[in-house]
Every structure is written in C-alpha cells, then in structure tokens.
Amino acid sequence: MSTGTTTLDVVVSDVVPVNELVTRFHFRRRDGGLLPTFSGGAHVVVEMRDGDRTRLNPYSLMGSPLDTREYTISVRRDDAGRGGSLFMHRQVKPGLEMVISYPVNLFSLDLRAKKHLMLAGGIGITPFMAQTSQLAGAGGNFELHYTCRTASLGTYADVLQQRYGSRVKLYHDDRGERIDLDRLLSSQPLGTHLYVCGPAGMINWVRDRAASLGWPLETVHFEHFAAPQPGAPFDVTLAVSGKTIHVGEQQSLLEAMEAAGVDPPYLCRGGVCGQCETNVISSDGKFIHNDHWLSEEDHRSGCKIMPCVSRFEGKSLVLER
Amino acid sequence: MAAKTIISRPIYGTLSPQPGKHHLFIADAEGALAITDMAGKAPPGFFDGAEIVFIPGPEAKHIAALEALKPAQLHIAPSFASLLPRLKQTLTNAHMGLRLYLAGTEGLIGQAMQAALEAGIDHTSIETEHRGSLARRMQCVHCKGITENVTTQPALCSHCGLLLLVRDHYSRRLAAFQGVCINAEDRSEIPPMEEIFR
C-alpha cells in the first residue's frame, strides 16, 4: 500500500447480514493481538483480491473505539457499482484472510465542541456508530438525526435507539418524514459542532443551510466517499515513471497506476483527502472530475486530477507520476 | 495592524458582515469606527438582528454614530469588567448562528474572545479589527499577576514589582502577553524604559 497506510493482516471473524442491502464484517488480527487504536469516524481501506484484480475500498469503522479486539465495517451492496461491494457480499466468508490498512480519520470529532449534532443518511450511519460509542463512553453531549428510506433499511436504527433513546431521531422517507433542518440548526446551543455523512445531495443541502444560517465553516464536518465511477476506457502516459497505461471501464485511474507498478500516495480513495493529487502535464480531451478536493478553479484549469475517482475522455493525457 | 512576529501573536483583520441572523458586536473607543466602516458593506436590514455593546472610554465619542446604525440593541458600558456578566449571559443563551465581531484595543478583543472561547466559539470564526491604542494586557510569568494597559518596554509588574520584558508570546486562554523578568541575573541592571505600545 501507500503513504501513511501501513497494512494489517486480518482474518474475517464473522459475516452478519443486517438487512436486504447491508452486511456487516468483523476482522481480527491473524496473530490474535489487539488492533491499533482508532477514533470515531476513522476508516480502513480493505484490499479485495478478486482473481487477477485488486480493488481497494474505504469503509468506516463502526465498532466502539474502546474495543480493539476486532474491527467492524458495514457494506451496502451496490449492484450498479464496480463490484467491490458485491465482492464483499458474495466472496467474503468467515475465515478468509484479508489485508486492510491502518485506520485513518478524515472525519474526526472536534472534542472542543460543547455539543455534537450528527446527521446521517442511509449507510452514512456507519461513522456515527463509532462516534456515538466514543462520546457515550466519555459522557459527551450528542444528538443523532438519521434519515433512511424505509424502517427496514434503517441500518442499526434499532441498536442506536436502544442504546441512546431519545438522543436518536429517525426520519423515514416512505412516511414522508423530513428533518426540519432550519429549525434544528437554529435551535442549537453555541459551541455545537455539526457532522454530516450521507449522499452528496444531503451533504450539500446541510452545508448550504448551515452556512446561510451563520454556522462558521470550522463547525461543520462532513464525509462523503464517492466510489470511483465506471466510464469509457482511456490511455494515460505517466511522465515521471515513463509508462503508458490503459484504464479499463471498471477500473479507476489510481487502480490502473497501481496495477502498472506505480505507487502514488493515497488515504481515502474517495476524492476527499487530497493525497493522490496529480499534476497534468498535457491533455487533449475532457476531464470528468468526481472529487470533492480540488477547487472549481482547479477543475476548470485542467492542470490537476485526483486519480482515485476522476476520469478522462479524449485523445491524449500525460500526467506527472 | 500589528506586525506578525511569533506564532501566538494575534493577527487582526477587517470586520466583514457574515451570513446569519444574529450579530453581536463588542467594541471600545475607536473600535466603533470599525463597525461604522463595515456598515457600508452590510446588506440591508443587517443591523435589525445586531446587538452592539460599546465601551466609549473617557472621551465618550462615537455613540451617536453607532445609534445611527439602528441596531436591535445598543448597550453602553463603562468598562469591560462591567459588561462581562452581561456578555457571559448573552453567550450562554445564544444559539448557533450568532456571529461575533470584536473591534478596538487588543485588551478588549482578547478578553471578549476569552469569554467567547469559554462559550464554545472557535477563535477562527470571530471577526476582529484592531483600532486605537496598542496598550497590552500583560501577565507576569513569575507571580501570574495581570497588569492592564502596558505601554512601555520593559514594564513594571503591578503585583510583584519585577521589571518585565513584554514578549509577543500571547496566551489566548489568559488573553494576555507574557512578561518575563528582564534583569533576573543582576537586579541592579536597569535598561531604559521606553513607551512603545502607545
């Protein structure tokens, strides 16, 4: 693996179906020891060796940071994706030996906050599972608002309500329940920090409302891992390593570089952390920027690309790697 | 604006209107002018949701200029100490969306920020603008006493009487610059005292 991501040899200790879309996976260290400490909101990158293909997907750790005998992640099946979640659902069984990265936290709690207001949408609940465990253990003040499509897809809603009672509020789309966001945001005591994890539309909505209601940027935290999108295949020349590589339909640019023996740094593989940022030396075609890292200006300039999630369509592309 | 020397030395900006519905201004003396200057850039109706707390000081100027902005509330206070209980009460009852603007002397900005930090406001989200005197609030690192309105270098600690070098090393927690004994090795050595933080 790469910069900042030392690997851990683990064995799958349990696989638990949670509902029709979500399955939970438990990992233990192969040598039986304790896993590294992490903080609520951290993720690990899971290596999936699927024949001659290796996929690396990030998943939030959802267990309690107070228990490092095992790590748990929950994976939502995406039938239209590039196959990572399907591989997890179909191929990963208890006893399988796997390799995962050390935990990395790009969505940590700001412990200076007087109160933590959490907003989750769908599978975006996973980092909050760990964050609420962490805060509950330390007597922290939090409130979680969780929107899901239906009660049966409210992953862990029952667990959370059982643990935290009225501190957890549920909203079901099929019952027409919706967060009264302006009211919620306007009624929070001074010193509250806001955390949001869910679909891009939800994150944008919440960030936008918070900003217009006077929440300082520093108090609004969000996490959205954009899974790499499939697209038309393209060729890339890597100037520093002197290679020309082909990026397949179902492959990300970062994965293609790795397959060619180039080892760019990365942390999130979801277009948010900025580690894999790469300079474009020349290009003739159209960039499909899917990241949340580069500014709009960077996107327009055509001088930078995030190879973990972004693609290219056109005649030629030369990158500095 | 003061020059940046060491990392902890506060840097002030220029007040600018922030989004939100509630705006709390705290200013002393010339700080009022930072507010009236900013008013030109504020959207219509901005001061309908604004409270201004102002310490005019002995010259008692600029009150009329602040009244002319027609803020929702204008509170005139004789000193920072006298407004502190009210400020703490306001911050305790406030909700997210309240924006804080501090203008005037470093002592005022620092102490108001200290109350705001305790209430959970991040210092980076506070609008500040330095106007007027450069007098410093100084903590003696030896006896921990605070001396207000220090204008000289070195300065006398008003508590233990040591002669202190007023450093740019600033504590946000104490809202004070650090003063360190300038002649600890030989007390008979008395460097000339100059007025430099006027």
Side-chain angles (χ1 to χ4, degrees):
Chain A
M1 285 212 191
S2 201
T3 313
T5 48
T6 319
T7 56
L8 294 163
D9 294 327
V10 294
V11 58
V12 178
S13 52
D14 208 357
V15 177
V16 184
V18 178
N19 55 38
E20 56 187 282
L21 287 178
V22 177
T23 300
R24 182 171 73 239
F25 299 87
H26 296 241
F27 301 109
R28 284 184 185 250
R29 239 187 152 114
R30 283 185 221 165
D31 62 15
L34 290 177
L35 288 154
T37 307
F38 66 99
S39 51
H43 72 267
V44 292
V45 175
V46 178
E47 275 190 32
M48 300 167 208
R49 295 198 184 125
D50 184 7
D52 56 359
R53 227 188 120 168
T54 300
R55 290 188 191 84
L56 296 145
N57 282 8
Y59 293 106
S60 295
L61 293 175
M62 54 159 293
S64 167
L66 306 176
D67 180 2
T68 53
R69 284 171 303 174
E70 64 176 13
Y71 283 168
T72 48
I73 61 169
S74 287
V75 180
R76 184 189 186 280
R77 200 182 73 228
D78 180 0
D79 296 317
R82 301 173 321 125
S85 66
L86 283 174
F87 175 85
M88 290 300 289
H89 277 248
R90 288 176 186 161
Q91 317 269 351
V92 175
K93 307 279 185 240
L96 181 72
E97 296 194 336
M98 295 186 86
V99 173
I100 63 174
S101 72
Y102 263 62
V104 169
N105 201 341
L106 302 172
F107 188 53
S108 57
L109 294 165
D110 189 325
L111 295 172
R112 297 169 303 176
K114 303 264 182 203
K115 178 181 173 183
H116 305 271
L117 176 66
M118 303 166 175
L119 268 62
I123 195 64
I125 193 64
T126 52
F128 297 121
M129 298 295 289
Q131 290 190 339
T132 51
S133 294
Q134 180 181 337
L135 286 173
N141 182 10
F142 68 88
E143 193 177 297
L144 170 67
H145 296 256
Y146 180 15
T147 62
C148 45
R149 280 196 279 164
T150 64
S152 66
L153 289 174
T155 312
Y156 304 116
D158 49 343
V159 178
L160 287 162
Q161 284 206 310
Q162 202 178 3
R163 280 185 196 162
Y164 309 120
S166 61
R167 286 201 265 181
V168 178
K169 294 189 180 56
L170 297 178
Y171 305 82
H172 301 95
D173 291 347
D174 63 339
R175 296 182 202 157
E177 295 163 355
R178 205 169 147 80
I179 300 180
D180 185 348
L181 187 61
D182 281 19
R183 195 172 155 181
L184 180 68
L185 294 180
S186 300
S187 62
Q188 296 304 316
L190 213 56
T192 304
H193 276 240
L194 174 64
Y195 305 84
V196 51
C197 184
M202 178 188 185
I203 293 176
N204 294 340
W205 174 54
V206 173
R207 290 178 64 201
D208 178 59
R209 288 316 303 151
S212 24
L213 291 168
W215 285 63
L217 283 180
E218 301 82 8
T219 61
V220 181
H221 313 267
F222 56 96
E223 178 160 81
H224 175 63
F225 287 138
Q229 297 299 304
F234 59 103
D235 291 319
V236 187
T237 304
L238 304 174
V240 174
S241 39
K243 292 180 180 181
T244 296
I245 61 171
H246 181 75
V247 182
E249 219 171 293
Q250 295 288 327
Q251 201 177 21
S252 73
L253 174 52
L254 179 62
E255 287 169 347
M257 287 179 180
E258 288 167 339
V262 179
D263 191 24
Y266 67 82
L267 285 177
C268 76
R269 305 184 79 93
V272 294
C273 77
Q275 283 290 316
C276 67
E277 181 179 311
T278 301
N279 292 324
V280 175
I281 290 177
S282 69
S283 69
D284 180 6
K286 189 179 90 178
F287 289 95
I288 302 156
H289 291 292
N290 295 318
D291 66 278
H292 298 261
W293 171 259
L294 297 174
S295 65
E296 275 176 41
E297 202 179 309
D298 286 335
H299 283 166
R300 275 196 304 269
S301 77
C303 295
K304 286 176 180 173
I305 186 169
M306 305 304 295
C308 61
V309 289
S310 299
R311 303 190 69 88
F312 182 78
E313 278 173 7
K315 286 184 191 155
S316 72
L317 175 62
V318 182
L319 299 180
E320 182 190 12
R321 272 290 179 210
Chain B
M1 195 170 97
K4 186 171 172 113
T5 45
I6 67 171
I7 284 173
S8 64
R9 204 264 171 260
I11 305 273
Y12 308 100
T14 306
L15 298 189
S16 74
Q18 299 297 307
K21 287 186 281 191
H22 305 289
H23 306 276
L24 174 59
F25 290 84
I26 303 171
D28 67 356
E30 308 293 306
L33 300 176
I35 302 176
T36 52
D37 285 355
M38 193 210 84
K41 292 179 281 178
F46 180 86
F47 284 93
D48 296 350
E51 175 178 353
I52 301 177
V53 182
F54 181 52
I55 310 165
E59 292 175 37
K61 290 201 290 190
H62 311 308
I63 297 174
L66 293 177
E67 275 170 352
L69 299 174
K70 297 197 170 59
Q73 286 189 68
L74 174 63
H75 177 69
I76 306 296
S79 67
F80 184 79
S82 69
L83 72 79
L84 188 58
R86 177 194 166 101
L87 172 62
K88 284 187 172 170
Q89 190 64 30
T90 303
L91 294 173
T92 305
N93 296 332
H95 292 106
M96 288 303 286
L98 173 102
R99 299 303 300 244
L100 189 59
Y101 304 78
L102 309 175
T105 61
E106 288 206 80
L108 177 277
I109 295 174
Q111 289 178 91
M113 188 178 278
Q114 186 185 27
L117 296 179
E118 276 166 26
I121 303 183
D122 193 285
H123 72 95
T124 54
S125 67
I126 301 171
E127 290 283 310
T128 59
E129 182 167 339
H130 179 249
R131 294 272 182 131
S133 164
L134 288 163
R136 291 183 170 191
R137 188 174 138 88
M138 171 189 75
Q139 183 199 229
C140 169
V141 305
H142 310 281
C143 79
K144 310 300 175 197
I146 301 262
T147 306
E148 302 281 353
N149 296 317
V150 169
T151 58
T152 62
Q153 180 75 289
L156 269 184
C157 173
S158 59
H159 300 259
C160 68
L162 282 179
L163 194 59
L164 306 176
L165 170 74
V166 188
R167 289 180 40 86
D168 278 345
H169 179 176
Y170 182 82
S171 162
R172 228 170 359 237
R173 185 176 63 85
L174 302 165
F177 289 91
Q178 307 293 292
V180 186
C181 188
I182 202 167
N183 55 3
E185 301 292 327
D186 178 3
R187 290 289 166 79
S188 68
E189 201 180 307
I190 314 260
M193 194 182 267
E194 289 175 82
E195 185 173 44
I196 65 166
F197 309 118
R198 200 180 326 230

